[in-house]
C-alpha cells in the first residue's frame, strides 16, 4: 500500500486539521435523520484518523472505515475500538450492504491511485447496489477555483510541535490541483522533515451530478453541511436511492 499521509502528516492532520470533519458531522447527522437512517452500518470512505467515525459510533451507528493511509488507520483504531477499519483504496474497495455511505474531505478527488472515470463510475455503481431503497450517499468534492489560473499559492501553518508548509496550484487544462506539502514534526530536540505531493482531479459538479443520476440516484447539491459552510470551491452531494426502485 502506498505511503500517502505518512506517520507525521497523519498526526498533524489529526491534531491540526480536524475542523472540517468535526464541523461537517452535525449537518451529516441531520441528513441521515431526515432520511430516516437512525441505525445500521455506515461506510466511511476516506475515514482518515476516525474523527467522523467516532461521531457516528457515538450516535449508535455501526461503522466501517476505509482509508489508503495505514498511519491514519492506526490512529482511527485507537480512537474508535468498536469500529471496523480497512487499509485500502476507496476506489476499489468492496462496499458491503449498508444504510448509508459518507466521504468527507474531498476524498473522491484524490489521485493517489488509478481512479479513471471508469473506476469512479464503478464505485458509484457498487455504492448504489449496496444501499437499500431510501439509502443515502453523502460526499463533498473539489471544483476549480481554489487558485487563480497561473498562480502558485504558498502558506504555512504551525502547531505546538509541528509546522506545515503548503504550495498549491491548479492546471485548468488538465483539471488537476497539485498540493506540495512539507511537514516538520518535533522529535526530541530536533524536527523531522517529510515531503508529499498530492494531486486531485477537479470535478465539474454538474457532470458529476449527472453521472450519479444516470446510475439511478436522486442528487442534491449544496454548499454546506447544516450550519457549516464549505470552504471555497467545494460542493456537497447528497445522492439518494429513491423509493420505488426494485
Amino acid at each position: 500500500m502506498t505511503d500517502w499521509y505518512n506517520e507525521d502528516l497523519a498526526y498533524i492532520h489529526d491534531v491540526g486539521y480536524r475542523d472540517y470533519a468535526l464541523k461537517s458531522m452535525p449537518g451529516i447527522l441531520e441528513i441521515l435523520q431526515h432520511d430516516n437512517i437512525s441505525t445500521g452500518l455506515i461506510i466511511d470512505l476516506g475515514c482518515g484518523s476516525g474523527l467522523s467515525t467516532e461521531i457516528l459510533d457515538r450516535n449508535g451507528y455501526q461503522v466501517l472505515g476505509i482509508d489508503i493511509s495505514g498511519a491514519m488507520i492506526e490512529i482511527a483504531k485507537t480512537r474508535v475500538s468498536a469500529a471496523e477499519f480497512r487499509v485500502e483504496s476507496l476506489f476499489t474497495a468492496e462496499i458491503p450492504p449498508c444504510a448509508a455511505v459518507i466521504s468527507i474531505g474531498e476524498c473522491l478527488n484524490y489521485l493517489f491511485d488509478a481512479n479513471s472515470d471508469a473506476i469512479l463510475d464503478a464505485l458509484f455503481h457498487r455504492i448504489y447496489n449496496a444501499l437499500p431503497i431510501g439509502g443515502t450517499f453523502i460526499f463533498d468534492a473539489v471544483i476549480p477555483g481554489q487558485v487563480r489560473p497561473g498562480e502558485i499559492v504558498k502558506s504555512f501553518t504551525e502547531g505546538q510541535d509541528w509546522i506545515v508548509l503548503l504550495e498549491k496550484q491548479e492546471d485548468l487544462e488538465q483539471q488537476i490541483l497539485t498540493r506540495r506539502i512539507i511537514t516538520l514534526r518535533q522529535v526530541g530536540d530536533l524536527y523531522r522533515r517529510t515531503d508529499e505531493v498530492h494531486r486531485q482531479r477537479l470535478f465539474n459538479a454538474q457532470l458529476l451530478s449527472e453521472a450519479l443520476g444516470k446510475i439511478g440516484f436522486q442528487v442534491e447539491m449544496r454548499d454546506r453541511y447544516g450550519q457549516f459552510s464549505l470552504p471555497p470551491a467545494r460542493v456537497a452531494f447528497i445522492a439518494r436511492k429513491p423509493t420505488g426502485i426494485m
Side-chain angles (χ1 to χ4, degrees), residues 130-236:
L131 292 172
I133 294 170
T136 305
F137 175 31
I138 305 167
F139 69 98
D140 51 80
V142 175
I143 60 175
Q146 280 193 46
V147 183
R148 283 183 287 204
E151 190 172 289
I152 298 176
V153 174
K154 298 182 179 182
S155 62
F156 79 94
T157 308
E158 60 181 328
Q160 182 177 356
D161 57 356
W162 55 269
I163 299 171
V164 171
L165 308 174
L166 173 65
E167 177 183 284
K168 63 181 179 179
Q169 59 184 318
E170 288 187 8
D171 182 335
L172 293 183
E173 182 176 347
Q174 298 294 322
Q175 291 293 289
I176 298 293
L177 171 68
T178 300
R179 294 188 179 114
R180 180 175 174 235
I181 305 167
I182 300 172
T183 64
L184 300 168
R185 182 183 178 189
Q186 187 172 9
V187 181
D189 294 330
L190 302 177
Y191 277 80
R192 179 171 60 205
R193 170 175 170 161
T194 59
D195 298 61
E196 291 194 25
V197 177
H198 295 178
R199 297 171 67 245
Q200 291 182 309
R201 175 172 48 171
L202 298 170
F203 288 121
N204 178 304
Q206 186 58 44
L207 292 179
L208 196 57
S209 176
E210 290 173 3
L212 290 161
K214 288 179 181 178
I215 293 170
F217 284 109
Q218 293 180 344
V219 184
E220 178 184 354
M221 291 188 286
R222 299 182 183 179
D223 63 357
R224 64 184 58 241
Y225 288 126
Q227 298 300 311
F228 173 53
S229 296
L230 296 178
R234 275 88 164 178
V235 178

Side-chain angles (χ1 to χ4, degrees), residues 57 75 101 135 146 227 240-242:
D57 177 72
I75 299 172
V101 177
Q146 280 193 46
Q227 298 300 311
R240 298 179 172 95
K241 186 170 181 176

Side-chain angles (χ1 to χ4, degrees), residues 46-59:
C47 64
S49 60
L51 293 164
S52 50
T53 305
E54 182 179 33
I55 293 171
L56 291 167
D57 177 72
R58 285 205 310 259
N59 281 270

Side-chain angles (χ1 to χ4, degrees), residues 2 4 20 32 48 52 58 64 66 68 75 87 89-90 104 117 119-120 130 135 179 182 189 195-196 211 222:
T2 52
W4 306 110
Y20 196 104
L32 294 174
S52 50
R58 285 205 310 259
L64 167 60
I66 297 173
I68 200 169
I75 299 172
V87 180
S89 165
L90 63 87
I104 303 171
D117 288 339
I119 292 176
L120 187 64
R179 294 188 179 114
I182 300 172
D189 294 330
D195 298 61
E196 291 194 25
R222 299 182 183 179

